Amino acid sequence: GQNIDQPTEMTATEGAIVQINCTYQTSGFNGLFWYQQHAGEAPTFLSYNVLDGLEEKGRFSSFLSRSKGYSYLLLKELQMKDSASYLCAVRLKGGSSNTGKLIFGQGTTLQVKP
Amino acid sequence: DGGITQSPKYLFRKEGQNVTLSCEQNLNHDAMYWYRQDPGQGLRLIYYSQIVNDFQKGDIAEGYSVSREKKESFPLTVTSAQKNPTAFYLCASGINQPQHFGDGTRLSIL
């Protein structure tokens, strides 16, 4: 089966750094995505990792270890507007075909406090 | 601007009624996807289509149907067989690129 785990909720302080972890067990792997979703809105793409290592994009960074089935999203210099849900998703690869199918974790709700 | 357009934004279904959610994209993507999101949950795949005139069931296809007659369009019908249709429905496109989503349709029962 496919399984993706994230913490349900996290709280952090404005200006601080927070790390949101994601572990996965999937049959086939073709990349890991992080999305941000504000309440009542659609998810928006944040970052993508397909090789091991760190990808940095402004205040957001994402790390991947394929051998450990592990990723994290790092948010620096937290702002109040970063309060949202963060979704981890794995793109599956079945044999030689790439269907583009994504399997999502349940999301981590981050609350940023003043 | 290129993007994905979903309509309507809000939809209400009566008992025994089928309703159809629209999804249109002008990104020239071959692949399109429908996801369902329940409160406090991640997204679950309903149906997907990799090419025109072809589509496959996702993880929760029961009670739903789709068609893919044009590259730009991938409508989802929620049939009366879907007993718990209240959810946020999201359409996405793109197979190798990061998937981008439409703004979603929120479906409720009257």
Side-chain angles (χ1 to χ4, degrees):
Chain A
Q2 325 284 7
N3 192 48
I4 299 179
D5 284 321
Q6 308 176 231
T8 304
E9 294 179 345
M10 298 183 72
T11 303
T13 304
E14 191 176 15
I17 298 173
V18 71
Q19 177 175 311
I20 302 174
N21 295 325
C22 171
T23 58
Y24 64 90
Q25 291 175 308
T26 59
S27 54
F29 176 88
N30 195 22
L32 187 141
F33 297 82
W34 285 96
Y35 287 86
Q36 180 190 60
Q37 186 177 28
H38 284 101
E41 298 181 7
T44 55
F45 168 73
L46 285 178
S47 71
Y48 167 61
N49 296 71
V50 66
L51 299 175
D52 292 350
L54 189 68
E55 293 284 339
E56 296 186 83
K57 193 187 276 189
R59 294 189 300 114
F60 296 85
S61 303
S62 58
F63 172 83
L64 175 67
S65 169
R66 289 171 296 170
S67 62
K68 295 182 179 177
Y70 169 69
S71 173
Y72 67 73
L73 179 69
L74 195 70
L75 291 77
K76 303 174 188 174
E77 301 169 14
L78 279 173
Q79 302 174 9
M80 298 299 291
K81 67 178 182 180
D82 296 329
S83 292
S85 286
Y86 292 85
L87 305 175
C88 172
V90 170
R91 184 164 60 193
L92 302 180
K93 185 171 184 178
S96 60
S97 66
N98 176 18
T99 65
K101 290 169 58 176
L102 294 180
I103 300 294
F104 284 81
Q106 80 273 19
T108 298
T109 300
L110 173 66
Q111 185 179 20
V112 180
K113 295 186 173 180
Chain B
D1 277 353
I4 301 171
T5 302
Q6 289 187 241
S7 63
K9 190 167 184 177
Y10 298 96
L11 188 57
F12 298 91
R13 195 191 87 170
K14 294 180 183 177
E15 193 79 32
Q17 185 182 41
N18 293 353
V19 291
T20 298
L21 285 60
S22 170
C23 178
E24 304 277 331
Q25 55 101 359
N26 60 4
L27 299 166
N28 200 34
H29 288 163
D30 287 314
M32 297 185 73
Y33 310 83
W34 274 106
Y35 295 91
R36 168 182 171 140
Q37 186 176 34
D38 293 282
Q41 301 295 315
L43 282 65
R44 292 182 291 167
L45 183 65
I46 305 172
Y47 267 98
Y48 66 103
S49 168
Q50 292 179 265
I51 199 165
V52 174
N53 293 322
D54 188 43
F55 49 83
Q56 285 80 38
K57 293 181 179 179
D59 300 316
I60 53 166
E62 186 174 349
Y64 299 98
S65 66
V66 293
S67 63
R68 187 82 188 280
E69 297 175 3
K70 298 187 300 182
K71 187 175 186 177
E72 301 79 19
S73 179
F74 191 39
L76 174 75
T77 296
V78 184
T79 74
S80 56
Q82 172 50 247
K83 298 306 179 188
N84 184 23
T86 298
F88 189 37
Y89 290 86
L90 289 154
C91 178
S93 71
I95 193 167
N96 290 313
Q97 317 84 337
Q99 281 182 18
H100 291 275
F101 292 86
D103 288 339
T105 294
R106 202 165 293 277
L107 176 62
S108 302
I109 297 292
L110 274 180

